[in-house]
């Protein structure tokens, strides 16, 4: 499976942004992506504030935009600024309006799911406890959104 | 006028009187007028005649007196005197004789010489003239002179001054000297008389010879009656003719009077009028008498004859005496007897009813007060005395404002209540007023007041039933306070509950998030260890890692189930009609797809519908059917069925049946408790929360679920959603729902 994925020429090569406060989840997610053969650069933000600074939406370097990530994997429950707020800010900015955002969360609440979609999330994925299922889900997601972006920006 | 017949007789009386009396009265009036006029005329005529007679006599007397005065002065000088007197008599039409009488009563000289033996000393006029010293008019008698005259003459005399005892006298011819021509022409039925004081007749125009000179009876009476100079009376004369007698006194001097009497016959007109008047009066009297008699007869005939017996019977009925027969007709007697019996019965009933009512009022556990139209106490029951402490005689006739009865702040309310019930008691039949008892205790009383009106609609009597509701009022107040505190407590509890719910919500939220993350890490890193360091791990290490990961996954499932159970309790119900058949079929298809190695023969009865929350119903059905799927594993021909079944009591419910492992019926109560499992985890996996969730779902729908099983012979779950469609009953539970 790994080889197949890595060899796909149509996969975009931009960075993947991971917003996640739990180090375990960061490690497992990164491992899952790598296991799926996704070798793209991965930006990790430890909460909403870091994420927004990293995208130059807030903080000292707010005026100089970085290069666009291919996809954002966004946790919802985070200290300081949570995932909903980050999503709201992204969708409110000209630059990130159409940036693919995948909500990756432990919450199975319908409420959270509904709110995430209404704020403009592209996908909503519950983090499964079963690590195989998790691995598969993250891998699929990454590939899918990388593929979509590739197709969009030739 | 109690009866119509009496009224008729009096009407008759009135008619007769009205018809007869006016005619008679007009007769009476007419004849009395005629009579009165005639009488007046007769009286006037009689007066005129009497007056003329008296005047004529007066004139004659004046003449005689003047003449006597002259003669008396010159009597002594003249002698012999006979020729002079004779000449005097001859020249006068009036004089019959004139002369002088000596003191011894002998005639000294005269025109006509008397008989020698005539002695005048006893003659009235002589003696009176001697003693009086003035002119006297005296005896009317036959002339003492021998003249052959048969009719009397009137003697007038006067004493001669200076010649002691002698008088000069004149003898007047009554007829010619007195009667004026008018009187002389009167018919013989008119009788004119002159009478002197002694009652001696001086003159009478008719039968003069028979009367003059004689005394008549009644002179004394006449004198007394003519005191005021006039008398008028009607009497019948000796000849049988009725005459009006009018008499005047003709005063001659202080020594004597003459009475002129004219008797004028009553005119025929007057007599006739008097007769008719008398007749009319008699007729009137007769008519009145006849009418009275007639009326009496009529009343006797119609009233006494017919009505009196009735009245007597009625009187007997009134006084409760036994009725007499025979007075009226028999059927009437019977009627009366029935009437009396009926009245007696009615009276008895009325009395017993009244007595009963009176006893009720007296014995009534509530105070009973009767008021007059001005709301003064008219009745005050024994209970009222007990309750308020005021004896009846202390309050009778008083308005409730007259003594310290009504609690002052309640006055305006009570006044309003009284006004309201006066106009219309039904609008406000009950009112609560606090009243003082005699010993100063304050009672809360409910007044129930009724009103009786007279025929004009004016209130005649009010009756109040007054109940002491102090205990109830206190209880109400306490209840009110309790309610207030209860509301406050409910609000508090609700608030607490909401808080608890919110806490529970955030708790389960954080559980779902925060408990999962470590599990995910455990499983994830165990897997990483397994995959990345496979070569360095021996069989036992691999096995351990597998068990770590299995435990983590089981705990994940446990968390999920617990969260689901909590969500069932918290979720808002959105009840709609859903197809249970479709839902069950979907779940079965999914299960079949996910478990291809375990082939189950399933059957869902079509057309089952319930009113329920779709999500919760699905959760419950999923749990039940998954259970069935799970416990039929290892069976030869696994089978699961969902259908509607009739119950013994006629109700119906759903039944999910499987031919799986079943359970021990002894522990049936435990299978719906969370974490209670009847099978080991090795035999059948599971968290032990699923059936608890199902029961919670049913309970939230006000339904129920129960399980039946024989060990090894399959399980049967009977359940029911409490709302609407396909509602079914559970024996012994209906009452609670």
């Amino acid at each position: 499976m790994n080889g197949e994925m890595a060899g796909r020429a149509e996969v975009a090569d931009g960075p993947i942004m991971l917003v996640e406060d739990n180090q375990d989840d960061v490690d497992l997610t990164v491992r899952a992506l790598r296991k799926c053969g996704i070798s793209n650069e991965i930006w990790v933000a430890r909460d909403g504030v870091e994420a927004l600074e990293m995208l130059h939406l807030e903080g000292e370097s707010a005026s100089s935009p970085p290069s666009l990530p291919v996809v954002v994997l966004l946790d919802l429950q985070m200290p300081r600024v949570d995932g909903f707020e980050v999503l709201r800010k992204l969708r409110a900015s000209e630059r990130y309006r159409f940036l693919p955002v995948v909500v990756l969360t432990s919450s199975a609440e319908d409420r959270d799911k509904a709110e995430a979609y209404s704020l403009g999330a592209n996908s909503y994925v519950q983090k499964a406890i079963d690590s195989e299922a998790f691995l598969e889900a993250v891998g699929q997601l990454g590939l899918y959104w990388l593929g979509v972006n590739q197709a969009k920006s030739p | 006028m109690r009866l119509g017949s009496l009224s008729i007789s009096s009407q008759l009386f009135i008619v007769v009187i009205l018809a007869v009396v006016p005619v008679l009265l007009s007769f009476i009036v007419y004849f009395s007028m005629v009579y009165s006029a005639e009488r007046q005329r007769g009286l006037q005529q009689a007066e005129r005649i009497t007056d003329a007679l008296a005047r004529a006599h007066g004139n004659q007397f004046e003449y005689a007196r003047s003449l006597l005065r002259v003669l008396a002065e010159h009597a002594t000088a003249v002698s012999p005197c006979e020729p002079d007197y004779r000449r005097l008599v001859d020249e006068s039409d009036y004089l019959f004789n004139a002369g002088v009488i000596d003191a011894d009563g002998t005639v000294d000289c005269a025109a006509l010489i008397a008989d020698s033996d005539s002695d005048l000393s006893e003659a009235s006029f002589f003696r009176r003239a001697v003693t009086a010293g003035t002119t006297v008019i005296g005896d009317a008698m036959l002339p003492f002179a021998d003249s052959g005259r048969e009719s009397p003459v009137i003697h007038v005399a006067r004493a001669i001054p200076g010649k002691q005892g002698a008088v000069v006298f004149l003898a007047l011819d009554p007829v010619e000297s007195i009667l004026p021509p008018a009187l002389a022409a009167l018919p013989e039925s008119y009788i004119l008389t002159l009478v002197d004081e002694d009652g001696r007749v001086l003159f009478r125009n008719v039968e003069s010879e028979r009367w003059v000179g004689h005394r008549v009876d009644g002179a004394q009476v006449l004198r007394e009656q003519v005191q005021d100079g006039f008398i008028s009376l009607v009497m019948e004369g000796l000849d049988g003719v009725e005459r009006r007698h009018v008499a005047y006194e003709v005063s001659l001097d202080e020594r004597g009077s003459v009475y002129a009497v004219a008797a004028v016959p009553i005119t025929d007109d007057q007599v006739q009028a008097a007769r008719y008047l008398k007749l009319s009066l008699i007729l009137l009297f007769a008519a009145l008498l006849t009418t009275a008699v007639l009326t009496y007869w009529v009343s006797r005939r119609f009233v006494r004859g017919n009505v009196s017996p009735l009245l007597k019977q009625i009187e007997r009925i009134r006084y409760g005496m036994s009725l007499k027969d025979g007075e009226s007709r028999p059927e009437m007697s019977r009627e009366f007897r029935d009437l009396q019996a009926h009245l007696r019965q009615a009276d008895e009933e009325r009395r017993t009813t009244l007595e009963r009512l009176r006893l009720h009022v007296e014995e009534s556990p509530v105070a009973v007060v009767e008021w007059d139209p001005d709301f003064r106490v008219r009745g005050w029951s024994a209970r009222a005395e007990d309750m308020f402490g005021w004896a009846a005689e202390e309050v009778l006739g008083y308005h409730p404002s007259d003594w310290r009865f009504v609690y002052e702040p309640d006055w305006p309310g009570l006044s309003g209540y009284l006004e309201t019930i006066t106009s219309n008691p039904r609008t406000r039949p009950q009112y609560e007023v606090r009243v003082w008892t005699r010993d100063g205790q304050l009672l809360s009383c409910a007044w129930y007041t009724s009103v009786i009106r007279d025929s004009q609609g004016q209130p005649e009597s009010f009756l109040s039933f007054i109940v002491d509701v102090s205990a109830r009022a206190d209880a109400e107040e306490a209840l009110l306070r309790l309610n207030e505190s209860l509301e406050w407590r409910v609000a508090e509890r609700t608030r607490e509950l909401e808080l608890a719910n919110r806490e529970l919500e955030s708790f389960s939220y954080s559980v779902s998030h925060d408990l999962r993350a470590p599990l995910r890490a455990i499983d994830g890193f165990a897997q990483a260890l397994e995959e990345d360091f496979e070569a360095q791990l021996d069989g036992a290490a691999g096995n351990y890692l597998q068990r770590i990961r299995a435990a983590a996954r089981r705990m994940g499932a446990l968390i999920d189930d617990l969260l689901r159970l909590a969500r069932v309790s918290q979720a808002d119900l959105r009840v709609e009609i859903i197809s249970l058949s479709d839902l069950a079929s979907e779940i079965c298809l999914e299960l079949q797809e996910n478990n291809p190695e375990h082939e189950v023969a399933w059957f869902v009865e079509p057309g089952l519908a319930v009113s329920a929350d779709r999500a919760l119903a699905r959760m419950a059905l999923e749990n039940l059917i998954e259970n069935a799927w799970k416990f039929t594993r290892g069976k030869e021909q696994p089978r699961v069925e969902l259908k509607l079944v009739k119950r013994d009591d006629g109700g119906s419910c759903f039944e999910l049946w499987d031919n799986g492992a079943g359970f021990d019926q002894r522990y049936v109560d435990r299978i719906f408790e969370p974490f209670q499992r009847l099978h080991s985890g090795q035999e059948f996996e599971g968290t032990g929360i699923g059936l608890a969730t199902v029961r919670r779902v049913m309970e939230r729908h006000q339904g129920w679920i129960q399980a039946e099983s024989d060990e090894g012979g399959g399980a049967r779950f009977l359940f029911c959603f409490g709302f609407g469609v396909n509602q079914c009953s559970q024996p012994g539970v209906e009452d609670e729902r």
Side-chain angles (χ1 to χ4, degrees):
Chain A
M1 192 164 102
N2 296 4
E4 278 177 63
M5 298 286 170
R8 282 188 181 175
E10 61 268 33
V11 169
D13 53 359
I16 293 172
M17 185 167 183
L18 177 61
V19 187
E20 173 65 68
D21 61 320
N22 188 321
Q23 186 56 50
D24 289 345
D25 277 349
V26 171
D27 291 346
L28 287 171
T29 307
V30 170
R31 181 175 177 269
L33 289 171
R34 295 290 178 244
K35 271 273 187 188
C36 291
I38 295 167
S39 53
N40 298 44
E41 186 188 352
I42 296 175
W43 298 347
V44 177
R46 309 308 302 269
D47 58 31
V49 176
E50 260 189 54
L52 292 172
E53 279 174 356
M54 207 173 273
L55 293 172
H56 295 206
L57 273 177
E58 280 173 8
E60 292 168 7
S61 52
S63 53
S64 53
S67 55
L68 275 175
V70 183
V71 63
V72 178
L73 304 179
L74 182 64
D75 190 13
L76 288 179
Q77 278 80 34
M78 289 181 296
R80 301 204 281 179
V81 173
D82 67 10
F84 293 118
E85 191 57 34
V86 174
L87 187 56
R88 200 173 287 121
K89 291 252 163 73
L90 289 180
R91 291 305 179 227
S93 79
E94 196 64 36
R95 188 173 163 81
Y96 303 112
R97 182 172 295 167
F98 300 109
L99 180 65
V101 175
V102 175
V103 172
L104 199 59
T105 177
S106 341
S107 170
E109 298 284 329
D110 291 345
R111 227 176 25 191
D112 289 348
K113 199 190 249 180
E115 192 176 355
Y117 277 122
S118 78
L119 285 175
N122 299 79
S123 283
Y124 185 97
V125 176
Q126 199 196 350
K127 295 176 197 162
I129 287 171
D130 187 333
S131 52
E132 267 125 20
F134 179 69
L135 194 69
E136 192 175 337
V138 170
Q140 293 291 346
L141 269 173
L143 286 175
Y144 173 75
W145 283 110
L146 292 177
V148 166
N149 263 13
Q150 180 62 32
K152 267 189 174 177
S153 51
Chain B
M1 286 285 173
R2 280 186 302 173
L3 297 168
S5 56
L6 275 178
S7 162
I8 285 167
S9 82
S10 26
Q11 281 170 13
L12 185 67
F13 182 81
I14 289 164
V15 165
V16 172
I17 295 296
L18 284 178
V20 172
V21 167
V23 176
L24 291 171
L25 277 180
S26 56
F27 277 143
I28 287 166
V29 167
Y30 172 71
F31 289 121
S32 65
M33 277 166 69
V34 169
Y35 174 82
S36 162
E38 284 299 316
R39 183 178 170 275
Q40 194 63 30
R41 202 158 62 82
L43 186 63
Q44 281 171 2
Q45 191 187 21
E47 278 173 11
R48 261 199 322 276
I49 291 168
T50 313
D51 194 41
L53 181 64
R55 215 170 26 247
H57 176 68
N59 288 345
Q60 187 194 32
F61 182 70
E62 278 302 314
Y63 160 76
R65 195 160 62 169
S66 314
L67 191 59
L68 277 176
R69 198 182 297 135
V70 174
L71 289 177
E73 280 172 11
H74 295 91
T76 50
V78 180
S79 187
C81 56
E82 283 87 357
D84 294 333
Y85 286 119
R86 197 171 296 125
R87 198 166 53 246
L88 188 67
V89 168
D90 288 345
E91 284 173 3
S92 171
D93 293 337
Y94 303 133
L95 291 175
F96 174 72
N97 195 6
V100 174
I101 304 170
D102 280 337
D104 58 358
T106 57
V107 176
D108 182 27
C109 72
L112 297 172
I113 299 302
D115 298 334
S116 56
D117 57 347
S118 63
D119 180 6
L120 295 172
S121 60
E122 290 303 315
S124 164
F125 73 90
F126 171 70
R127 283 193 288 111
R128 280 194 291 143
V130 170
T131 52
T134 57
T135 306
V136 299
I137 188 162
D139 311 330
M141 59 185 189
L142 289 174
F144 46 82
D146 186 13
S147 63
R149 185 186 170 106
E150 296 295 327
S151 63
V153 290
I154 300 166
H155 295 86
V156 184
R158 187 182 172 96
I160 300 170
K163 196 173 177 183
Q164 190 64 39
V167 300
V168 60
F169 81 92
L170 296 173
L172 303 172
D173 187 328
V175 179
E176 279 114 40
S177 66
I178 291 171
L179 224 51
L183 296 184
L186 286 172
E188 284 195 359
S189 59
Y190 285 64
I191 299 172
L192 309 176
T193 316
L194 284 171
V195 184
D196 70 4
E197 282 190 320
D198 298 328
R200 210 185 296 270
V201 175
L202 297 180
F203 166 73
R204 197 167 191 270
N205 64 335
V206 182
E207 293 178 319
S208 180
E209 300 80 12
R210 192 177 145 203
W211 287 95
V212 172
H214 297 281
R215 280 174 184 266
V216 289
D217 297 332
Q220 182 63 29
V221 176
L222 191 66
R223 203 159 51 233
E224 284 167 8
Q225 289 197 343
V226 190
Q227 210 75 41
D228 53 352
F230 177 79
I231 183 174
S232 171
L233 58 97
V234 174
M235 63 185 191
E236 204 178 273
L238 295 173
D239 56 357
V241 177
E242 213 176 8
R243 291 184 179 82
R244 173 170 299 280
H245 293 72
V246 172
Y248 276 141
E249 182 183 15
V250 185
S251 272
L252 302 174
D253 52 41
E254 63 278 7
R255 299 303 299 268
S257 293
V258 168
Y259 299 98
V261 181
V264 179
I266 302 294
T267 61
D268 289 349
D269 286 349
Q270 187 184 343
V271 170
Q272 210 167 8
R275 196 180 300 138
Y276 286 148
L277 187 59
K278 201 187 286 178
L279 190 67
S280 299
L281 283 169
I282 289 167
L283 279 175
L284 179 63
F285 178 71
L288 288 172
L289 194 69
T290 310
T291 311
V293 167
L294 198 68
T295 307
Y296 176 74
W297 181 77
V298 164
S299 77
R300 187 169 177 79
R301 170 87 184 269
F302 287 99
V303 179
R304 298 244 174 104
N306 290 337
V307 179
S308 290
L310 297 183
L311 290 175
K312 276 183 189 146
Q313 295 285 55
I314 288 167
E315 201 160 297
R316 287 203 188 90
I317 288 172
R318 179 193 285 176
Y319 294 111
M321 296 187 290
S322 62
L323 292 171
K324 278 186 187 170
D325 284 336
E327 288 187 24
S328 311
R329 282 182 293 233
E331 63 269 26
M332 200 178 273
S333 285
R334 204 165 51 244
E335 282 296 317
F336 271 121
R337 218 172 282 284
D338 289 351
L339 178 64
Q340 189 182 37
H342 176 73
L343 285 177
R344 269 186 185 152
Q345 194 189 343
D347 191 45
E348 185 62 27
E349 278 171 14
R350 189 177 57 89
R351 255 210 307 274
T352 53
T353 306
L354 269 180
E355 179 62 13
R356 248 193 343 261
L357 272 179
R358 197 186 64 74
L359 284 174
H360 275 316
V361 167
E362 279 304 312
E363 297 295 317
S364 172
V366 303
V368 183
V369 180
E370 193 195 354
W371 314 91
D372 71 6
D374 298 325
F375 233 84
R376 284 190 291 262
V377 177
R378 191 188 268 162
W380 188 262
S381 74
R383 179 71 186 116
E385 291 187 342
D386 294 346
M387 207 157 111
F388 306 123
W390 307 96
E393 56 270 20
E394 288 178 297
V395 296
L396 283 179
Y398 289 105
H399 192 266
S401 63
D402 291 343
W403 82 99
R404 190 173 184 248
F405 184 49
V406 176
Y407 182 56
E408 295 74 11
D410 288 359
W411 245 118
L414 179 64
S415 300
Y417 171 63
L418 297 187
E419 275 170 32
T420 310
I421 58 171
T422 304
S423 54
N424 186 2
R426 288 182 196 286
T427 54
R428 210 172 169 192
Q430 189 257 339
Y431 190 67
E432 231 171 272
V433 177
R434 282 166 291 180
V435 299
W436 292 105
T437 64
R438 191 181 191 157
D439 49 15
Q441 208 184 333
L442 202 55
L443 300 180
S444 290
C445 289
W447 295 38
Y448 300 82
T449 305
S450 58
V451 60
I452 298 173
R453 291 167 192 287
D454 60 17
S455 50
Q456 271 82 48
Q458 292 302 309
E460 203 170 59
S461 165
F462 298 93
L463 193 70
S464 295
F465 291 90
I466 304 178
V467 186
D468 180 3
V469 293
S470 302
R472 198 192 73 198
D474 291 348
E476 273 174 4
E477 205 177 321
L479 196 64
L480 204 65
R481 276 202 300 273
L482 191 68
N483 269 343
E484 278 169 6
S485 73
L486 198 64
E487 269 170 34
W488 179 82
R489 265 165 26 209
V490 166
E492 184 66 13
R493 287 280 162 79
T494 309
R495 208 173 56 79
E496 282 170 4
L497 200 62
E498 279 168 1
L499 203 64
N501 266 342
R502 268 205 304 279
E503 277 172 1
L504 191 62
E505 213 170 305
S506 65
F507 170 74
S508 54
Y509 195 85
S510 43
V511 162
S512 73
H513 184 262
D514 296 342
L515 289 190
R516 273 168 204 270
L519 284 176
R520 214 164 38 242
I522 291 167
D523 189 59
F525 287 113
Q527 194 202 15
L529 199 60
E530 211 175 24
E531 282 176 11
D532 298 351
F533 299 94
E534 201 178 1
Q536 285 144 282
L537 295 173
D538 62 6
N543 183 19
Y544 292 158
L545 279 175
Q546 281 297 327
R547 285 163 75 167
I548 289 169
R549 291 188 60 200
R553 277 201 292 273
R554 203 160 57 245
M555 186 157 177
L558 202 59
I559 289 167
D560 285 347
D561 283 355
L562 273 176
L563 284 174
R564 207 170 290 133
L565 178 61
R567 211 170 293 129
V568 168
S569 302
Q570 290 165 22
D572 292 329
L573 288 187
R574 278 197 304 276
V575 176
E576 54 188 321
I577 295 174
I578 54 177
S579 168
L580 208 61
S581 303
D582 290 355
L583 206 54
S585 301
E586 274 172 37
I587 294 164
C588 288
L589 284 171
E590 274 172 29
L591 283 168
Q592 201 157 51
E593 213 167 297
N594 293 341
N595 300 279
E597 79 292 344
H598 176 48
E599 202 149 321
V600 178
W602 57 271
F603 166 77
V604 173
E605 184 177 324
L608 304 181
V610 290
S611 281
D613 181 284
R614 181 178 289 278
L616 293 188
R618 186 184 178 93
M619 193 185 289
L621 270 189
E622 268 174 1
N623 270 303
L624 284 172
I625 296 173
E626 275 170 17
N627 250 5
W629 230 260
K630 189 163 72 186
F631 287 105
T632 49
R633 196 162 285 155
K635 283 285 167 185
E636 281 299 309
Q637 286 177 316
R639 189 165 177 81
V640 174
E641 289 177 5
L642 175 68
K643 50 190 182 279
L644 189 70
V645 294
K646 289 277 174 203
R647 298 188 57 84
D648 294 341
D649 63 357
S652 55
C653 64
F654 302 111
E655 180 194 84
L656 185 75
W657 173 85
D658 66 70
N659 60 350
F663 53 89
D664 188 341
Q665 186 70 23
R666 276 177 299 175
Y667 307 118
V668 66
D669 292 340
R670 285 170 55 192
I671 64 171
F672 294 110
E673 299 292 328
F675 305 112
Q676 294 293 335
R677 305 189 69 240
L678 301 185
H679 298 274
S680 68
Q682 278 75 30
E683 235 182 317
F684 299 104
E685 77 283 359
T687 57
I689 297 174
L691 284 177
T693 307
V694 173
R695 188 173 69 170
R696 190 68 61 83
V697 170
M698 294 303 161
E699 282 170 353
R700 289 223 54 194
H701 287 82
Q702 292 172 22
W704 49 265
I705 181 162
Q706 60 190 31
E708 293 169 7
S709 172
D710 295 322
E711 191 78 43
R716 190 187 304 275
F717 288 89
L718 299 170
F719 61 97
C720 176
F721 293 84
F723 302 138
V725 181
N726 280 349
Q727 183 178 342
C728 37
S729 59
Q730 183 187 27
V733 189
E734 295 95 306
D735 290 349
E736 290 165 32
R737 278 188 293 160

